[in-house]
Amino acid sequence: MASGPRLVMRTLLVLGAACSVALLASAAGNFYQDVDITWGDGRGKILNGGQLLTLSMDRSSGSGFQSRSQYLYGRFDMQLKLIPGDSAGTVTTFYLSSQGSQHDEIDFEFLGNASGEPYTVHTNVYGQGKGGREQQFRMWFDPTADFHTYSVVWNPSHIVFYVDGVPIRDFRARAAAAAGVPFPTSQPMRVYASVWDAEEWATQGGRVKTDWSRAPFVASYRGFGAAGCTSPDAAACARSNGAWMFQELDAAGQEQLRRAQASYMIYDYCADKYRFPQGPPPECSAAK
């Protein structure tokens, strides 16, 4: 049971989330119009007149979909209700990606766990094919009990990850540039989502395997909103005047970010001394 500062933090986050979800719902699209189910042989289903999409996984296959549009910068929102019960070995995703060996990618991945254990929310950023910039979090709610909104704001200066309107990560272009690390600025990306089998690594490093007797494993998506530049001209997108192009965390947002990371972050690649015995990657120091 939460107590003291963590309880206060949870209360503030929940109050902020109620306002954010109401604002985002008005931007929700229709899955029939906005996405294509690209794999899963019928395991992905669009329901409720295009307002709900479910992805399922069994021993034979998972499933997934992708947006019809490609975007260079924008704001992307999705409401998810994750696989309930024993979800060990499963990975549910919502991410953006370009194509090819030098692709860019912005990841939300939700790593399942045994019944009664919390989900791990895994974030990562790839630039020109290079990732390895993981931060992981626990949530301040049960992500299987109801829908919650997961968002990415991507512009030339920032990639900000939000949960129910609360910033949990801010990957900054200035820090990346100072360290010579590529930041996504030129490759349009589609929005993707999937449910797939990763029992070799997803849950406690692969120590807990998938209980296939509980299949099918089903995750639900709704409230997809994408506001971004769809022009194939990267220069035109760089001149876009959409609100997302100028969005960054103000002082209050920076404080929300600090509190969320202090309370709920469980892994930061910048602090992994075993992985980086000679010191953290250069962008970690530049970000301070």
Side-chain angles (χ1 to χ4, degrees):
M1 178 177 294
S3 61
R6 182 168 290 228
L7 179 58
V8 172
M9 178 61 184
R10 181 175 297 178
T11 301
L12 291 172
L13 295 179
V14 169
L15 289 173
C19 297
S20 301
V21 172
L23 290 172
L24 295 175
S26 63
N30 185 291
F31 285 115
Y32 281 123
Q33 300 170 0
D34 297 335
V35 309
D36 292 309
I37 297 174
T38 49
W39 63 284
D41 194 23
R43 292 173 178 82
K45 301 181 184 300
I46 298 176
L47 306 167
N48 296 356
Q51 299 305 303
L52 177 69
L53 193 155
T54 60
L55 295 177
S56 68
M57 183 187 79
D58 55 34
R59 188 180 284 273
S60 297
S61 178
S63 52
F65 65 87
Q66 68 182 40
S67 64
R68 292 181 176 174
S69 296
Q70 297 186 86
Y71 305 89
L72 185 58
Y73 308 129
R75 177 178 180 123
F76 310 91
D77 304 296
M78 188 77 79
Q79 296 177 22
L80 278 77
K81 183 161 67 172
L82 299 179
I83 298 165
D86 188 343
S87 57
T90 69
V91 176
T92 302
T93 70
F94 163 52
Y95 65 102
L96 292 90
S97 183
S98 60
Q99 298 298 307
S101 61
Q102 298 296 305
H103 74 289
D104 295 334
E105 189 171 326
I106 304 168
D107 290 343
F108 264 118
E109 295 185 315
F110 307 89
L111 313 184
N113 214 330
S115 296
E117 297 294 325
Y119 263 83
T120 296
V121 179
H122 176 100
T123 67
N124 202 355
V125 176
Y126 285 73
Q128 297 180 15
K130 182 179 179 182
R133 303 182 180 98
E134 304 92 345
Q135 289 182 351
Q136 296 182 338
F137 304 82
R138 304 288 196 216
M139 292 296 93
W140 50 93
F141 51 80
D142 178 357
T144 73
D146 204 349
F147 286 91
H148 291 270
T149 303
Y150 304 88
S151 308
V152 170
V153 170
W154 167 37
N155 60 41
S157 300
H158 299 266
I159 296 170
V160 185
F161 296 76
Y162 294 85
V163 177
D164 282 343
V166 176
I168 63 169
R169 181 175 188 179
D170 183 1
F171 187 76
R172 302 177 186 179
R174 184 169 59 184
V181 171
F183 184 91
T185 58
S186 61
Q187 299 185 57
M189 294 196 257
R190 295 188 191 273
V191 178
Y192 294 85
S194 59
V195 175
W196 54 285
D197 171 26
E199 70 172 358
E200 295 305 316
W201 65 270
T203 303
Q204 299 179 33
R207 292 187 296 274
V208 181
K209 303 298 185 182
T210 305
D211 181 355
W212 292 108
S213 70
R214 296 178 177 270
F217 301 97
V218 181
S220 300
Y221 296 76
R222 73 180 188 190
F224 173 42
C229 181
T230 57
S231 170
D233 182 353
C237 287
R239 297 191 300 270
S240 172
N241 61 359
W244 63 87
M245 288 292 285
F246 312 101
Q247 187 169 343
E248 61 181 13
L249 299 179
D250 59 13
Q254 291 283 357
E255 179 61 14
Q256 275 192 313
L257 174 68
R258 186 193 68 77
R259 291 184 177 185
Q261 291 191 340
S263 298
Y264 300 107
M265 182 186 288
I266 60 170
Y267 176 81
D268 181 3
Y269 77 107
C270 288
D272 191 336
K273 295 180 180 179
Y274 177 81
R275 186 172 161 194
F276 303 108
Q278 303 305 315
E283 71 269 21
C284 299
S285 299
K288 294 181 179 179

